[in-house]
Amino acid sequence: QKRRQFQQSMAGHGSDVAQPAAGGFSQDMSSSSAQGGQNQSTIKQKLEQLPQMVQGVFTDVPEHQLEATVWFRKLLSIERNPPIAEVIQAGVVGKFVEFLRRNDIPQLQFEAAWALTNIASGTSEHTKVVIQNGAVPIFVHLLESPSEDVREQAVWALGNIAGDSPKCRDLVLNSRAMQPLLAQLNPQAKVTMLRN
């Protein structure tokens, strides 16, 4: 899952990400598999809300768009087997890409970028969907956002996309990402940005 675990451990804004069980990492296999079953049960319960959240994404009310996008981002941030295919099938990827253009609502840009980053961290097919919806040039543009969080998320997204294959790497580089990426390397940059 390319960079998802590292991002969740390093991001200061990931407080809602699943944490290790109280017993730490030295659980036995039966405990671990029980946790996996519980994870699938939790995902199934959350997916029951999917139609309502899709409606929220497609509304014209920015507050509802943000709320629904946060819900999708949290769903896609589940540590094990996030339901990326189900989210893609729900038809929201294009709207998330559209939200990247909402300079007037940086929080919506950030949440949409994070959701797309997690989608791009899946299989090559998942990454392809993000690319086909036109996200790469917008992510390159977001590297110049006034919001540091949005810029950092754009770095993550481009890293996940470029890391998928040499063809995807070339696509990112041919989108003129190198100069704005290098511009992120400055003394004021957050440590998490530099680690990306």
Side-chain angles (χ1 to χ4, degrees), residues 11-137:
H13 45 265
S15 59
D16 51 312
V17 174
Q19 298 296 315
F25 292 105
S26 60
Q27 299 174 343
D28 62 32
M29 290 302 285
S30 62
S31 171
S32 179
S33 69
Q35 203 173 24
Q38 185 179 17
N39 183 45
Q40 290 304 320
S41 173
T42 301
I43 291 172
K44 188 174 180 180
Q45 289 173 339
K46 287 183 181 255
L47 287 176
E48 290 173 6
Q49 300 173 42
L50 191 68
Q52 179 184 352
M53 293 300 126
V54 169
Q55 200 172 15
V57 167
F58 280 90
T59 185
D60 290 332
V61 180
E63 293 80 16
H64 295 169
Q65 292 173 334
L66 178 59
E67 179 184 338
T69 304
V70 168
W71 183 87
F72 275 105
R73 186 262 300 160
K74 288 179 179 182
L75 181 67
L76 292 164
S77 295
I78 292 172
E79 203 166 319
R80 291 189 185 154
N81 303 317
I84 297 172
E86 290 87 341
V87 170
I88 291 170
Q89 289 169 357
V92 294
V93 174
K95 285 299 280 188
F96 292 157
V97 172
E98 184 181 312
F99 293 161
L100 295 178
R101 296 183 184 274
R102 292 299 303 266
N103 296 327
D104 56 323
I105 312 174
Q107 188 64 33
L108 182 58
Q109 284 181 307
F110 170 74
E111 293 292 347
W114 194 349
L116 290 166
T117 299
N118 285 348
I119 292 169
S121 74
T123 67
S124 291
E125 285 303 309
H126 298 151
T127 304
K128 186 176 176 182
V129 171
V130 174
I131 292 168
Q132 289 175 335
N133 275 276
V136 172

Side-chain angles (χ1 to χ4, degrees), residues 171-183:
L171 172 71
V172 169
L173 291 175
N174 290 333
S175 297
R176 300 182 178 181
M178 187 58 76
Q179 275 309 124
L181 278 169
L182 290 174

Side-chain angles (χ1 to χ4, degrees), residues 179-194:
Q179 275 309 124
L181 278 169
L182 290 174
Q184 304 308 308
L185 303 176
N186 64 65
Q188 291 80 33
K190 293 193 308 190
V191 173
T192 53
M193 173 85 79
L194 297 175

